[in-house]
Amino acid sequence: MKTRFLVLALFGIGMIAAPVSAQLLARHVAIGDDVFEEPDPGMALWRRAPVERVNLLAQTVTTPSADTVSTPFIEARAIHNGAWLAVLLTWHDQDKNDVLDAAVYSDAVAMSWPLRGPATSPFMGDPNMPIEIVHWKAVWQRDVDEGYRDVAEAYPNMTVDAYHGSQTGKPHPLKDVMASPEALNAMPAIQHGNPVSQVDRTWPVEQLTAAGFTGTLTTLPEQRARARGLHEDGQWHVLITRPLNTEVHNNLPLMAGMDTLINFAVWEGSRGDVGSRKSYTMWVPFRLEMPR
Amino acid sequence: MATVQNWQLNREMEFPYEDHRPDRQIAYIFDTNKCIACQTCSVACKTTWTSGKGQEHIFWNNVETKPYGGYPQAWDYRLLEKLDGQRWRGDQYEGKTVFENVPPGETVVGHKPNGEDYAHPNLGEDEIAGMADKGAFFTGVHHMWMFYLARICNHCTYPACLAACPRKAIYKRKEDGIVLVDQTRCRGYQECVKACPYKKVFFNSVTRTSEKCIGCFPLVEQGLQPRCVETCIGKIRMQGWLSAPGEERADNPIDLLVRIKKIALPIYPQYGTEPNVYYIPPVNVPRDYLSQMFGPGVEQAIKGYMNASRDIESLAAMLLFGNSPKTISRFAYTDDETIGFNEKNEEVVRVPLTEPLFVRPEYDEKFKAYRNNTA
């Protein structure tokens, strides 16, 4: 088991050094910040950037793993205006999975870049060689579009007489229940601000850092990224935007003319993808074009 | 992968982390022969801990009827089917645990229940194992059987949930061996839900994290027994501390009944997690069903239990069950009484070994009334 993943890790590092045919160029376009601040993946503007098709691989470096890819490739396009970066990601996914429940998972996509240079492992970084991750989930998109999914929406025929400390009657809306400290006590993840338990989400995306896949993944305390995802014709179209220079710790300072690496990961909810059960890409050279 | 010693299997086994037994291990004994499935324990736990949003279907404590019940449905049978040959040679386990022969890409052998499996906790309740013929009557031997199995998180020594979490969001406390899900670290992957052989970690779709029995640690820290133990009307339960293998003491009621008299047995020890809730097996159930569930020690356990009234030591330990809200670390007995002491060596309860007999006169002078036997 140990030998197998050492071999795969070495294989992965070999892949960074080998010439890769995919390269992502973030085209510079002189446009206002508003299209980045209110991302809309449907805008024709985003298709001005050259599309790069990147092959996905099943995650098999560590357990739990995925035995096959959910889809063969992901398409990436990037545009920046000197102040903001936008990356449009498109991939095939027949069904839209945007709710969470017992054995029910959400579609998701993420992109990452190394914080300390090209020798970083593409597999969630290494100790002392962290990466920055920007992660979008379909369940968060649904939260933003339709509101946080409460019990009454998930199970409309269910009835509950009371929750501890809840002052309102049936169906006990979540916001009302949360107003009571006793009721909140029974929802410790929400009470203690767990980032995946955020009831009042503005954006369906979070920025994280990781330094190796042994559980180092950490949500960053400050969030600057924005995103919007749309499911259409058996494909997801997710536009992720972020200011180039956020001045936030563990955010990679980006600038025109810069060369770095980027990679992507895709989760297909209907086949149980979550956490390390995912499809991902190796590092792809990523350049931000100078203004022409 | 590390190698650890599992005393219930009498062998070493694989586990992802090194052997680090806690300073003390929380442990429970449940006497199945006394359980009437009144569900007071379930209600107590639910009222205390799982009355929040998203927890409506979650029972950290449940009582199911065997053989046909199970919450979630078929939780045990679905895993037994996957476990590669569960052979015992005497008291040594020769089969595989959930940490061994793991399919590629997985950390632990497990299965995922879906939402529907949690939706009918009482399915199979009171169903007997077979058909009763028309006109059949009891002849002194039970032809049909069923029994109530009360279950909580076993706060295992080698928790599969902890092993499966890729984020190390589950930890086992050093001071008491209680296993907890860190609600700020969990990202809701549900690997623990799949891995727990007893299906005692649950996904909460409102908090979007996994949640589990916390061993009533706020009470245990104060020297009080957990809610499910204290409220049990039938006094079938006791919570205490199980000593590390080789350090058992005859004056600790848990050590005595589990390790010395071996009247209380672990549930499905073949899974390999070293669960710390020990059961006194139901005496009227066929032995092959019981040995699949409680291992090879069933015959000895039942014999010891049936003989307990003549064994003052066992009797003294068992009569402490349900008689004090305080956790008993040590006990002593005289010809007439059993006495429980807490960890500070303060006496917390004194119970007569023989239930006192009161004979009331037929005519009561005080109330000027006759006593009638109109029960």
Side-chain angles (χ1 to χ4, degrees):
Chain A
M1 177 76 149
K2 258 196 191 138
T3 323
R4 191 189 97 193
F5 96 40
L6 185 61
V7 166
L8 285 168
L10 290 171
F11 171 75
I13 292 167
M15 289 287 282
I16 306 169
V20 230
S21 48
Q23 292 188 78
L24 185 62
L25 175 72
R27 174 135 291 163
H28 177 268
V29 178
I31 39 170
D33 291 347
D34 51 321
V35 292
F36 298 91
E37 288 165 349
E38 296 290 335
D40 176 3
M43 279 181 79
L45 157 72
W46 308 120
R47 280 143 188 98
R48 276 203 232 170
V51 63
E52 206 47 60
R53 178 175 285 199
V54 190
N55 289 331
L56 286 162
L57 303 164
Q59 190 291 107
T60 50
V61 170
T62 187
T63 61
S65 50
D67 45 359
T68 56
V69 282
S70 56
T71 188
F73 56 82
I74 184 170
E75 288 182 339
R77 291 174 173 84
I79 278 182
H80 78 95
N81 71 347
W84 282 80
L85 169 71
V87 180
L88 176 66
L89 299 170
T90 306
W91 72 99
H92 287 276
D93 183 343
Q94 210 43 51
D95 32 300
K96 183 183 189 188
N97 301 108
D98 59 359
V99 298
L100 292 175
D101 210 327
V104 175
Y105 307 95
S106 171
D107 294 334
V109 73
M111 61 190 195
S112 77
W113 32 64
L115 290 169
R116 302 245 170 93
T120 308
S121 162
F123 313 124
M124 302 296 273
D126 292 308
N128 299 320
M129 299 290 274
I131 61 172
E132 176 199 342
I133 299 167
V134 190
H135 185 36
W136 169 95
K137 282 204 217 226
V139 62
W140 294 337
Q141 188 64 58
R142 190 195 163 102
D143 286 345
V144 164
D145 293 342
E146 300 176 41
Y148 199 83
R149 190 165 173 257
D150 201 352
V151 176
E153 192 207 320
Y155 298 98
N157 295 321
M158 200 193 70
T159 181
V160 173
D161 290 332
Y163 292 99
H164 271 311
S166 166
Q167 304 297 323
T168 61
K170 298 180 192 185
H172 306 286
L174 182 59
K175 281 301 167 62
D176 293 351
V177 166
M178 279 172 65
S180 143
E182 295 129 304
L184 207 51
N185 243 342
M187 298 184 283
I190 293 177
Q191 189 181 43
H192 293 281
N194 186 324
V196 305
S197 313
Q198 234 181 293
V199 165
D200 260 318
R201 212 166 243 291
T202 318
W203 298 107
V205 68
E206 71 173 353
Q207 287 173 279
L208 312 101
T209 186
F213 50 76
T214 54
T216 63
L217 183 68
T218 306
T219 303
L220 294 175
E222 289 182 66
Q223 296 290 317
R224 294 279 187 277
R226 301 178 182 210
R228 183 158 167 67
L230 218 59
H231 190 261
E232 223 166 45
D233 298 326
Q235 292 191 80
W236 272 113
H237 305 267
V238 176
L239 184 71
I240 298 176
T241 64
R242 160 184 166 324
L244 291 186
N245 199 7
T246 61
E247 293 189 354
V248 171
H249 183 55
N250 281 326
N251 277 196
L252 181 66
L254 297 166
M255 62 197 86
M258 179 176 171
D259 275 301
T260 182
L261 299 169
I262 192 170
N263 70 351
F264 308 100
V266 162
W267 289 262
E268 158 65 89
S270 61
R271 59 173 221 162
D273 279 358
V274 71
S276 59
R277 299 178 192 268
K278 61 186 178 186
S279 307
Y280 59 9
T281 75
M282 289 296 137
W283 286 132
V284 168
F286 177 47
R287 164 176 293 184
L288 282 81
E289 192 182 45
M290 288 295 288
R292 283 165 287 149
Chain B
M1 265 297 172
T3 305
V4 298
Q5 183 66 27
N6 184 325
W7 75 267
Q8 294 171 0
L9 304 183
N10 277 301
R11 71 165 175 78
E12 287 181 334
M13 66 168 206
E14 285 177 32
F15 187 67
Y17 298 100
E18 299 289 334
D19 221 334
H20 279 303
R21 284 184 188 274
D23 294 342
R24 306 198 271 194
Q25 175 58 54
I26 192 171
Y28 304 70
I29 300 179
F30 294 179
D31 183 355
T32 61
N33 295 286
K34 297 205 181 104
C35 180
I36 58 169
C38 68
Q39 307 283 358
T40 300
C41 50
S42 304
V43 171
C45 176
K46 185 155 261 301
T47 310
T48 310
W49 302 118
T50 59
S51 295
K53 281 244 177 206
Q55 297 176 322
E56 299 81 3
H57 65 289
I58 294 178
F59 287 90
W60 291 351
N61 179 106
N62 78 290
V63 186
E64 60 201 51
T65 302
K66 292 319 243 184
Y68 291 116
Y71 164 80
Q73 287 183 52
W75 62 274
D76 43 358
Y77 306 137
R78 287 176 68 182
L79 182 58
L80 292 172
E81 278 174 350
K82 288 187 178 210
L83 216 50
D84 183 12
Q86 300 150 50
R87 301 166 303 280
W88 291 81
R89 181 198 293 261
D91 61 2
Q92 188 174 74
Y93 184 57
E94 287 197 329
K96 299 293 179 197
T97 67
V98 297
F99 305 109
E100 295 159 346
N101 260 17
V102 180
E106 301 293 326
T107 316
V108 173
V109 178
H111 73 269
K112 274 191 286 196
N114 57 39
E116 184 72 24
D117 293 330
Y118 294 97
H120 314 283
N122 284 350
L123 213 51
E125 185 165 69
D126 291 355
E127 296 291 345
I128 50 174
M131 295 292 286
D133 295 328
K134 200 166 174 179
F137 55 95
F138 182 61
T139 57
V141 172
H142 290 258
H143 293 292
M144 295 306 154
W145 62 273
M146 59 134 212
F147 68 99
Y148 300 124
L149 184 67
R151 306 194 311 111
I152 59 174
C153 164
N154 297 302
H155 295 283
C156 301
T157 306
Y158 303 117
C161 59
L162 184 156
C165 181
R167 284 182 56 68
K168 302 187 174 80
I170 298 187
Y171 62 104
K172 188 173 170 70
R173 295 184 358 154
K174 184 176 192 292
E175 63 268 37
D176 51 24
I178 288 176
V179 179
L180 298 173
V181 181
D182 184 335
Q183 290 302 307
T184 60
R185 260 191 90 70
C186 177
R187 283 181 70 86
Y189 297 161
Q190 301 187 47
E191 298 296 340
C192 54
V193 176
K194 181 177 182 182
C196 174
Y198 304 95
K199 295 292 168 265
K200 281 299 181 181
V201 196
F202 304 87
F203 182 68
N204 181 329
S205 61
V206 173
T207 62
R208 301 178 179 176
T209 57
S210 299
E211 300 177 348
K212 65 180 289 299
C213 161
I214 59 171
C216 277
F217 69 80
L219 289 172
V220 167
E221 284 171 0
Q222 295 176 63
L224 295 167
Q225 301 194 56
R227 279 275 140 83
C228 60
V229 177
E230 192 218 331
T231 58
C232 174
I233 295 173
K235 301 182 176 182
I236 88 164
R237 304 183 178 208
M238 171 181 263
Q239 174 262 321
W241 308 105
L242 183 69
S243 305
E247 293 174 23
E248 46 272 347
R249 293 180 2 245
D251 66 355
N252 170 346
I254 305 286
D255 282 350
L256 181 81
L257 294 170
V258 173
R259 287 260 178 66
I260 299 169
K261 301 288 179 179
K262 304 189 193 208
I263 285 175
L265 304 171
I267 180 170
Y268 292 119
Q270 62 267 46
Y271 294 154
T273 62
E274 219 187 81
N276 288 300
V277 175
Y278 298 91
Y279 291 84
I280 300 177
V283 304
N284 289 316
V285 172
R287 301 304 185 247
D288 50 5
Y289 186 91
L290 292 181
S291 50
Q292 179 182 250
M293 185 177 277
F294 299 114
V298 168
E299 232 17 280
Q300 176 180 9
I302 291 178
K303 211 156 151 189
Y305 181 67
M306 303 290 264
N307 191 48
S309 56
R310 288 173 286 278
D311 174 21
I312 193 172
E313 218 181 1
S314 300
L315 189 67
M318 289 195 279
L319 285 175
L320 291 168
F321 285 29
N323 284 316
S324 170
K326 299 189 175 150
T327 305
I328 295 166
S329 308
R330 181 177 76 82
F331 79 111
Y333 56 91
T334 64
D335 287 338
D336 312 300
E337 289 179 320
T338 173
I339 307 142
F341 301 89
N342 65 10
E343 55 183 349
K344 296 185 201 144
N345 247 339
E346 297 162 333
E347 178 183 313
V348 298
V349 72
R350 194 171 272 262
V351 184
L353 291 179
T354 307
E355 187 167 355
L357 179 68
F358 296 96
V359 179
R360 294 184 176 81
E362 193 199 0
Y363 183 73
D364 186 309
E365 284 297 339
K366 182 179 173 194
F367 295 108
K368 302 279 187 281
Y370 285 95
R371 284 194 171 82
N372 295 312
N373 186 14
T374 54

